[in-house]
C-alpha cells in the first residue's frame, strides 16, 4: 500500500469479517485509509452455499464473485475505492475444498452436487479419490490424510492435479486482475506445501500471501512446518494462545512472562508471521458459553478491556504482521451476521455497538481509539527496535521503540502510578489511546503527557494503557 503519511508506511491490516462490499468501501474512505491501515481482509467472495450461518462462506459452489457480501460489480468498486483511499484488499481464498451436501443451488444460482460443480467446472476427477474423512488422530500421525482426506463433509480438491491447479490459479488471477493485493489461504495446512507452491507459481505477480496453518504433530513430523514459510507468511497461532494466556492469566501465565512465549513457544521468525489476538474461528471456537467472561479458543469481545489491551500490545510490539479482527457479536457458534441480507446492506457507525451481548450488532473493534490509534503508533515506529522491556510485578509491562515510541500496559484492577524512562526526546505527547486525532497536534488536556529528561510520571487506570509516539506530539 502507498505510504500513510510522507515517509510513514502502513503496517497493519484488519479483517472486516462478513462486511458487505459496499460497507467495506465506505469504511476504507472514512476510517481505514485515514487511520493508516495497510489493507482489509474480506470474507470469501466466491459463490457459496445458501444459508444464514457464517460458515456457508467457507463452502464454495463456484468461483463467481457473487456472495452474501455482494456481487462482482460491488466487489470491483470496493477494491478501487479502497485503493484510492490507500488501502489494499486481501481475499480469504477457500481453495482446499468445495461445498458439502448432496445437491443444491449457490448464491449466484449455480447448481452443484455429488462432487460436481459445473460452474467451475469441477467433476469427480477433480477430487481426491477414494474420498475419506480426516480423523482427529490424523493430526498427530497421518499427514497424508490431513492433506488428502475431507475436512468434515467438505469434498477435498485434488490440488496435486494440474487441471485443478489451473482452475484455482484462474480464480486467484481473476481477483488480482480486479486489483486485489493479497490472499489468506484458508485451510493451507490441508494442502501440501508443494502443491500450494505449484499453484502460486501459476499466479505471477507481487502480492501478499498468508497461510492458515495450525500447528500439530504430523506437520512437524513431515517437515512441512518449514516449507510453508517459503511460500508466504504463516498465521502464528502460538501468538494467539500467548495473548489469551498472558492477558487472561490462564494456566499461571501473566504479562511478565510474555518473553517466554517469544523465546520458547516455537514461533516463526517475525517476517514470516501474521499475528492476531483472535480470528473468526478462535473467537467462537470451544466457547462453553456466550456471555461476558467466556474464554473460547482465544480472547474475544467478551474479554472486555483485556481484548483491547492485547490489541495495544500486538500493535505496539514489533513482531509479525498484525491483523485486527472486527466482526459482529454472536450468541452461538454458528450465528451469522444479522441484518445483512444478501447483497447491498450498508453498514454505518450506527450499526456498531460496545455491548457484547447485543447479538447481531457489529463490534467495530478496529474503530476503537485503543486499536485505530495504535495502528498509527505501529506505522510511526515501524523502523524502531524494541528496547527497555520492563515488568513491574506480574501484570504491568512497559517497553520502548527506539527513541520513537513508548507503551505501558496495566493489566490489573488497580491504578499503576510510576515514573517511566520513556526513551523519548522531551516534549508534550498525546496518549493516543484516549484521544481522537492524536496526530493532529490537538489533544485533550487529560491525555497530555510531559516528557522531561526522558521521564514521564503516569497514573494509569485499571485495565488501561498509555502509548506515546513522536508522530503525536502536542502543539504548544
Ligand atoms: C478454515 N480454515 O482452515 C476456516 O477458517 C474455518 O472457518 C472453516 O470451518 C474451515 N477451515 C473450512 O473452510 C468453518 C466452520 C465449520 C463449517 C465449515 C464449512 O468452522 O463448522 O462446517 O466452515 O462451512 C460446516 C458444519 C459441519 C459440516 C460442514 C460440511 O459445521 O458440521 O460437516 O459444514 O457441511
Ligand atoms: Ca486437501
Amino acid at each position: 500500500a502507498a505510504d500513510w503519511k510522507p515517509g510513514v508506511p502502513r503496517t497493519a491490516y484488519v479483517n472486516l469479517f462478513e462486511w458487505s462490499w459496499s460497507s467495506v468501501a465506505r469504511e476504507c474512505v472514512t476510517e481505514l485509509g485515514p487511520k493508516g491501515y495497510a489493507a482489509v481482509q474480506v470474507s470469501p467472495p466466491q459463490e457459496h452455499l445458501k444459508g444464514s450461518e457464517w460458515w456457508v462462506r467457507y463452502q464454495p459452489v463456484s468461483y463467481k464473485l457473487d456472495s452474501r457480501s455482494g456481487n462482482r460489480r460491488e466487489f470491483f468498486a470496493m477494491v478501487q475505492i479502497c485503493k484510492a483511499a490507500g488501502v489494499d484488499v486481501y481475499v480469504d481464498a477457500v481453495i482446499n475444498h468445495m461445498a458439502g451436501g448432496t445437491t443444491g443451488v449457490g448464491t449466484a444460482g449455480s447448481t452443484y452436487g455429488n462432487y460436481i460443480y459445473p460452474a467451475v467446472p469441477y467433476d469427480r476427477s477433480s477430487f481426491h479419490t477414494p474420498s475419506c474423512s480426516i480423523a482427529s488422530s490424523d493430526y498427530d500421525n497421518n499427514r497424508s490424510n490431513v492433506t488428502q482426506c475431507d475436512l468434515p463433509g467438505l469434498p477435498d480438491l485434488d490440488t496435486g492435479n494440474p487441471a485443478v491447479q489451473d482452475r484455482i490459479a484462474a480464480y486467484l488471477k481473476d481477483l488480482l486482475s480486479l486489483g486485489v493485493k493479497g490472499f489468506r489461504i484458508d485451510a493451507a495446512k490441508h494442502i501440501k506445501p508443494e502443491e500450494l507452491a505449484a499453484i502460486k507459481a501459476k499466479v505471477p505477480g507481487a502480492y501478499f500471501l498468508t497461510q492458515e496453518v495450525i500447528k500439530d504433530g504430523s506437520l512437524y513430523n513431515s517437515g512441512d512446518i518449514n516449507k510453508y514459510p517459503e511460500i508466504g507468511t504463516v498465521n502464528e497461532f502460538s501468538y494467539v494462545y500467548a495473548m489469551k494466556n498472558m492477558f487472561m492469566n490462564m494456566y499461571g501465565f501473566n504479562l511478565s512472562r510474555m518473553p517466554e512465549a517469544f523465546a520458547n513457544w516455537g514461533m516463526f521468525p517475525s517476517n514470516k508471521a501474521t499475528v492476531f489476538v483472535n480470528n473468526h474461528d478462535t473467537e467462537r471456537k470451544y466457547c462453553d458459553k456466550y456471555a461476558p467472561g467466556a474464554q473460547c479458543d482465544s480472547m474475544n469481545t467478551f474479554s472486555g478491556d483485556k481484548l483491547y489491551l492485547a490489541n495495544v500490545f500486538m500493535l505496539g510490539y514489533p513482531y509479525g504482521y498484525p491483523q485486527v479482527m472486527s466482526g459482529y457479536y454472536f450468541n452461538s457458534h454458528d450465528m451469522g451476521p444479522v441484518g445483512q441480507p444478501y447483497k447491498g446492506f450498508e453498514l454505518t457507525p450506527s450499526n456498531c455497538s460496545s455491548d457484547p451481548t447485543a447479538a447481531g450488532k457489529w463490534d467495530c473493534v478496529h474503530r476503537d481509539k485503543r486499536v485505530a490509534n495504535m495502528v498509527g503508533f505501529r506505522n510511526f515506529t515501524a523502523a524502531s527496535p524494541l528496547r527497555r522491556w520492563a515488568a513491574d510485578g506480574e501484570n504491568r509491562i512497559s517497553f520502548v521503540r527506539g527513541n520513537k515510541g513508548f507503551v505501558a500496559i496495566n493489566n490489573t484492577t488497580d491504578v499503576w502510578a510510576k515514573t517511566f524512562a520513556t526513551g523519548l526526546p522531551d516534549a508534550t505527547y498525546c496518549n493516543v489511546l484516549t484521544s481522537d486525532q492524536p496526530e493532529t497536534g490537538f489533544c485533550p488536556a487529560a491525555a497530555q503527557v510531559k516528557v522531561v529528561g526522558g521521564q514521564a510520571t503516569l497514573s494509569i487506570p485499571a485495565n488501561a494503557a498509555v502509548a506515546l509516539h513522536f508522530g503525536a506530539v502536542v502543539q504548544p
Side-chain angles (χ1 to χ4, degrees):
D3 278 358
W4 176 38
K5 298 173 187 292
V8 182
R10 296 173 181 266
T11 61
Y13 71 108
V14 59
N15 178 8
L16 294 183
F17 180 63
E18 284 278 13
W19 281 48
S20 70
W21 306 153
S22 50
S23 304
V24 172
R26 179 205 304 255
E27 200 69 1
C28 280
V29 173
T30 60
E31 188 76 18
L32 305 184
K35 286 296 183 183
Y37 285 93
V40 53
Q41 178 185 303
V42 296
S43 282
Q46 89 294 321
E47 178 177 18
H48 55 87
L49 200 70
K50 283 184 175 171
S52 64
E53 300 88 351
W54 62 270
W55 44 253
V56 295
R57 305 293 295 267
Y58 292 89
Q59 301 207 30
V61 168
S62 80
Y63 299 132
K64 289 182 182 162
L65 300 183
D66 204 345
S67 68
R68 174 153 61 212
S69 286
N71 62 26
R72 185 181 181 91
R73 178 179 47 76
E74 292 162 328
F75 181 87
F76 179 64
M78 167 189 74
V79 174
Q80 298 309 309
I81 291 166
C82 288
K83 185 180 178 191
V87 182
D88 290 342
V89 172
Y90 301 159
V91 158
D92 193 349
V94 184
I95 60 174
N96 172 69
H97 54 262
M98 296 297 284
T102 45
T103 58
V105 178
T107 48
S110 307
T111 57
Y112 69 96
N114 289 322
Y115 294 87
I116 296 171
Y117 304 82
V120 178
Y122 286 137
D123 61 23
R124 187 68 190 84
S125 71
S126 310
F127 297 88
H128 284 123
T129 181
S131 63
C132 44
S133 216
I134 301 173
S136 50
S137 59
D138 292 338
Y139 291 105
D140 293 328
N141 56 32
N142 195 327
R143 178 72 185 141
S144 78
N145 280 2
V146 169
T147 54
Q148 296 181 54
C149 293
D150 297 349
L151 279 165
L154 301 168
D156 200 57
L157 283 164
D158 180 1
T159 41
N161 175 336
V164 170
Q165 293 176 354
D166 287 343
R167 299 290 182 210
I168 293 171
Y171 169 48
L172 302 181
K173 284 194 282 190
D174 182 36
L175 291 166
L176 292 177
S177 79
L178 298 179
V180 165
K181 290 285 195 250
F183 303 108
R184 166 198 185 254
I185 305 297
D186 178 67
K189 183 173 84 177
H190 299 278
I191 303 171
K192 288 183 181 172
E194 295 80 1
E195 296 171 1
L196 203 47
I199 292 166
K200 188 186 172 203
K202 293 182 179 194
V203 184
Y207 47 87
F208 171 71
L209 188 153
T210 194
Q211 303 158 95
E212 192 217 9
V213 176
I214 302 177
K215 296 167 185 177
D216 56 40
S218 61
L219 199 60
Y220 280 89
N221 296 337
S222 66
D224 282 356
I225 191 76
N226 300 315
K227 295 181 191 151
Y228 288 107
E230 292 169 8
I231 301 170
T233 72
V234 185
N235 290 176
E236 181 49 89
F237 285 87
S238 294
Y239 187 93
V240 177
Y241 308 138
M243 292 301 106
K244 180 179 79 166
N245 292 340
M246 305 294 173
F247 278 93
M248 302 302 286
N249 293 156
M250 296 180 73
Y251 310 112
F253 289 103
N254 57 59
L255 288 195
S256 75
R257 297 183 63 180
M258 194 73 83
E260 291 172 39
F262 290 106
N264 304 333
W265 291 18
M267 293 192 200
F268 293 106
S270 178
N271 67 343
K272 290 296 177 186
T274 301
V275 296
F276 34 84
V277 176
N278 51 313
N279 78 359
H280 71 281
D281 286 324
T282 65
E283 70 175 5
R284 37 175 68 65
K285 197 170 172 187
Y286 303 133
C287 296
D288 51 352
K289 55 186 165 127
Y290 297 88
Q295 295 298 304
C296 314
D297 201 21
S298 68
M299 304 176 85
N300 64 19
T301 50
F302 293 127
S303 315
D305 287 337
K306 290 178 189 296
L307 174 80
Y308 291 93
L309 293 183
N311 273 283
V312 168
F313 177 87
M314 173 178 78
L315 292 163
Y317 189 92
Y319 174 80
Y321 183 24
Q323 174 191 260
V324 171
M325 172 70 201
S326 190
Y328 57 87
Y329 300 115
F330 47 86
N331 56 22
S332 76
H333 177 275
D334 292 349
M335 180 183 163
V338 173
Q340 178 164 288
Y342 176 50
K343 292 177 193 172
F345 174 71
E346 291 267 348
L347 208 156
T348 69
S350 68
N351 300 101
C352 298
S353 168
S354 56
D355 174 8
T357 63
K361 283 276 190 180
W362 299 79
D363 60 47
C364 300
V365 164
H366 66 288
R367 284 185 191 160
D368 191 286
K369 295 182 189 53
R370 294 167 288 182
V371 177
N373 291 338
M374 279 307 287
V375 171
F377 179 101
R378 194 177 192 84
N379 292 344
F380 268 107
T381 59
S384 303
L386 178 70
R387 290 171 50 204
R388 297 193 203 185
W389 169 275
D392 181 358
E394 293 187 339
N395 280 298
R396 292 166 166 171
I397 53 155
S398 60
F399 58 90
V400 167
R401 297 291 305 277
N403 62 353
K404 299 274 199 294
F406 168 79
V407 175
I409 299 176
N410 179 16
N411 187 38
T412 77
T413 51
D414 298 312
V415 173
W416 186 20
K418 192 181 169 81
T419 297
F420 295 88
T422 64
L424 296 169
D426 289 0
T428 301
Y429 294 83
C430 193
N431 176 10
V432 303
L433 309 180
T434 54
S435 144
D436 285 321
Q437 300 284 343
E439 297 97 4
T440 59
F442 297 99
C443 185
Q448 297 188 12
V449 175
K450 276 200 170 60
V451 172
V452 180
Q455 297 195 319
T457 299
L458 300 172
S459 181
I460 309 175
N463 290 313
V466 168
L468 313 175
H469 68 80
F470 87 121
V473 172
V474 180
Q475 266 180 20

